[in-house]
Amino acid sequence: MTDAERRFWNLVRNRSFDGLKFVRQYPVGPFIADFACRERKLIVELDGSQHVAEATYDERRTIFINSEGYSVLRFWNNEVLTELAGVHQMLQAVLAGYEPSPGWRFSPATLSPTGRGDDSESTAK
């Protein structure tokens, strides 16, 4: 696991996040999701800087995962490493029913859309 994956796993493992069970490396069709909460049909992906160049692949992957009945929530690795409280807050909001708009990216300061691949988000990854 990457440092960000370890940190996120420590946040959600052993039903420590609102009593929900998360699993790692969860297969969804031909893809392996970083984390999944099966009972809430939520996939959490942690993205490094390589995902800026892989936006088209990630979009196809998300479309497939959505077609299997799952929602996908993506965070940059750097956000997990530096803004874990904000990641925690957004995860709680999504699990409580908040649905970010398509193309939404986590912004710890405002919890609002910033746009995928925004240079200010990706340069620190």
Side-chain angles (χ1 to χ4, degrees), residues 106-121:
F106 172 73
S107 174
T110 61
L111 295 177
S112 67
T114 60
R116 182 168 195 140
D118 176 349
D119 289 336
S120 65
E121 289 290 324

Side-chain angles (χ1 to χ4, degrees), residues 46-113:
L46 305 184
D47 297 340
S49 60
Q50 76 278 9
H51 286 268
V52 172
E54 297 174 356
T56 301
Y57 171 81
D58 284 346
E59 184 177 332
R60 285 193 318 262
R61 176 184 166 109
T62 297
I63 289 168
F64 177 84
I65 291 171
N66 290 157
S67 76
E68 295 293 307
Y70 288 89
S71 295
V72 178
L73 182 59
R74 292 182 176 277
F75 296 102
W76 293 113
N77 286 341
N78 191 55
E79 291 164 340
V80 174
L81 294 172
T82 63
E83 299 290 342
L84 191 60
V87 169
H88 182 273
Q89 183 180 3
M90 179 50 65
L91 185 56
Q92 279 185 317
V94 168
L95 289 169
Y98 172 72
E99 295 184 30
S101 61
W104 176 89
R105 286 301 295 184
F106 172 73
S107 174
T110 61
L111 295 177
S112 67

